[in-house]
Amino acid sequence: ILQHPDGTVLKQLQPPPRGPREQEFYNKVYDSDCCDSILLELREYLPKYFGVWSPPTAPNDAYLKLEDVTCKFNKPCIMDVKIGQKSYDPYASAEKIQQQVSKYPLMEEIGFLVLGMRVYHVSSDSYETQNQHYGRSLTKETVKDGISKFFHNGYCLRKDAIAASIQKIEKILEWFEGQKQLNFYASSLLFVYEGSCQATTVRLSDVTLAEKRGVPKGLLSGGDILEYNNNIHVINSTENGKIEASVSKGLSKFYALHKKAYSKRHHSQLSLKVENLEQGNMWKSSACITQEHLNGNVIPQLEKVFCHMPAEIKESANVEVRMIDFAHVFPSNTKDEGYIYGLKNLITVLQNILDN
């Protein structure tokens, strides 16, 4: 995959018949005259398509010009999961079938295969990468842990990203349950979520901690007020989103609940309405920060506090799940049961990670 200066990505057209078949698929779905509601909805789950592109210096080289799904992310975490019970199409030779089955015998049983992942670790400000050999090493017993690795940032499990991913897969599953036009083989889902916590300067005069740290709006409707009380002073923000802070008292005291009116706001106190924090143990990790001065580095313990916000009360995480790789898409008059099976199993695994 190459990157075009205009922000799109370029995928080189594969040799026939795979390349022309993928190009035909994109042309059909993105035809300007298309009025098929099934195909129009399918566009929501694909990268946008901008036709075929050739470099001026090599006019015979053809590339599919596609949306870069990762471009809006600061620290994109990326995972490629092949979906379906068969990674070979109906026209594959016996040799091809044997080759594909031997690569990952479990494909038929579990319906998906992790082809690779790249995960940003907040703790080390670096990426961990796993290739397809990692995915093929996963068994029925280890696949849950193998996928959970993608959602762990070195400090905590990003349950918000898991929950958002499940919702997006469910939408794709709904589409598959309602269509009998196309069957997909050796196609993948591309997962992308934001790995950084996007910390920025808190101006006490006009911005609340809730606005800067993404505390869900749903929590701002209760009667309890959580006050700043000068326990934490955020000094500034560095270019890569790391923040400096000094912590003068334990966060457990900082996050004490108070019944006070909003009139306190004009005293330069940062107030935050929260309803029943205790129920969600939202600040359970806060006790780990006591009497510390963090001298301009990222605040690992503070990140941990916010990462542990329960998924059900966080705002939807910044997550993309898109279908990719269409060199083996064929017309059909039946539901794509193999792809549906894989999606359902993947949802089950993600739900188990979330629940546990």
Side-chain angles (χ1 to χ4, degrees):
I1 298 289
L2 304 176
Q3 195 156 33
H4 192 280
D6 66 6
T8 59
V9 292
L10 303 170
K11 178 182 180 181
Q12 189 160 26
L13 212 60
Q14 298 176 73
R18 291 175 297 166
R21 194 187 292 135
E22 185 164 28
Q23 181 183 349
E24 182 185 353
F25 168 80
Y26 274 114
N27 286 339
K28 182 177 181 180
V29 174
Y30 282 94
D31 188 334
S32 58
D33 296 326
C34 177
C35 55
D36 184 329
S37 61
I38 295 292
L39 297 183
L40 291 174
E41 184 187 345
L42 178 59
R43 293 179 185 179
E44 297 177 31
Y45 313 122
L46 313 182
K48 292 184 179 68
Y49 173 62
F50 302 101
V52 175
W53 179 88
S54 295
T57 54
N60 293 327
D61 290 350
Y63 295 82
L64 299 172
K65 200 164 188 283
L66 302 167
E67 172 190 6
D68 181 358
V69 180
T70 71
C71 69
K72 68 178 181 180
F73 296 90
N74 181 34
K75 298 289 185 182
C77 297
I78 305 166
M79 178 170 67
D80 184 334
V81 182
K82 187 183 286 189
I83 305 292
Q85 291 178 281
K86 296 176 181 177
S87 57
Y88 53 88
D89 65 50
Y91 302 99
S93 65
E95 182 184 2
K96 178 70 171 177
I97 292 172
Q98 181 57 40
Q99 177 200 41
Q100 290 297 313
V101 170
S102 63
K103 278 184 179 179
Y104 195 61
L106 272 180
M107 190 82 181
E108 188 168 357
E109 190 172 351
I110 67 175
F112 62 86
L113 165 63
V114 176
L115 291 179
M117 64 176 70
R118 185 168 178 260
V119 188
Y120 177 69
H121 283 181
V122 177
S123 51
S124 58
D125 188 23
S126 63
Y127 281 94
E128 179 184 353
T129 303
Q130 302 289 350
N131 62 20
Q132 57 185 312
H133 298 294
Y134 170 80
R136 289 176 189 160
S137 72
L138 299 176
T139 65
K140 275 197 304 180
E141 291 71 33
T142 63
V143 70
K144 187 179 85 168
D145 292 337
I147 288 180
S148 68
K149 194 182 190 79
F150 173 63
F151 294 100
H152 204 288
N153 67 5
Y155 283 125
C156 62
L157 190 66
R158 286 289 304 276
K159 289 194 169 189
D160 58 322
I162 300 173
S165 296
I166 291 172
Q167 289 177 355
K168 289 182 180 289
I169 300 171
E170 285 174 340
K171 292 292 291 180
I172 294 171
L173 176 59
E174 281 180 31
W175 182 84
F176 270 92
E177 293 279 20
Q179 71 90 23
K180 295 181 179 179
Q181 292 187 31
L182 299 168
N183 278 6
F184 296 74
Y185 301 90
S187 184
S188 291
L189 289 184
L190 184 72
F191 292 77
V192 190
Y193 73 88
E194 179 56 65
S196 70
C197 288
Q198 301 288 346
T200 53
T201 304
V202 176
R203 294 184 181 86
L204 300 184
S205 57
D206 56 9
V207 181
T208 68
L209 184 61
E211 289 165 335
K212 279 297 165 190
R213 277 297 187 166
V215 174
K217 293 184 178 71
L219 290 181
L220 302 181
S221 57
D224 291 326
I225 293 176
L226 191 63
E227 288 195 325
Y228 178 66
N229 282 345
N230 294 320
N231 288 325
I232 285 188
H233 176 58
V234 178
I235 302 166
N236 66 4
S237 158
T238 62
E239 286 182 5
N240 64 357
K242 294 178 179 179
I243 60 178
E244 315 185 328
S246 58
V247 182
S248 60
K249 294 185 180 179
L251 278 183
S252 54
K253 293 181 181 178
F254 166 58
Y255 290 123
L257 291 172
H258 301 285
K259 289 279 189 181
K260 294 185 181 177
Y262 260 119
S263 59
K264 291 277 184 182
R265 267 258 174 91
H266 69 271
H267 294 304
S268 296
Q269 290 178 311
L270 181 65
S271 48
L272 172 64
K273 294 179 70 177
V274 180
E275 56 181 5
N276 205 358
L277 288 179
E278 296 301 321
Q279 279 188 2
N281 287 326
M282 188 168 172
W283 309 109
K284 191 166 77 175
S285 307
S286 63
C288 66
I289 309 181
T290 54
Q291 304 295 329
E292 291 185 10
H293 188 79
L294 297 172
N295 292 331
N297 295 319
V298 72
I299 307 181
Q301 296 93 332
L302 189 57
E303 301 293 3
K304 202 168 184 178
V305 170
F306 286 94
C307 285
H308 277 293
M309 281 200 274
E312 65 271 16
I313 60 170
K314 272 191 92 167
E315 286 183 326
S316 181
N318 193 5
V319 172
E320 291 285 354
V321 179
R322 304 287 186 94
M323 296 169 61
I324 58 170
D325 297 337
F326 306 111
H328 303 275
V329 178
F330 296 91
S332 174
N333 54 13
T334 61
K335 283 186 181 181
D336 191 341
E337 296 294 350
Y339 203 104
I340 289 171
Y341 178 86
L343 290 177
K344 286 181 175 178
N345 272 4
L346 183 56
I347 289 171
T348 299
V349 169
L350 290 172
Q351 193 63 55
N352 284 340
I353 295 170
L354 199 59
D355 294 342
N356 295 337

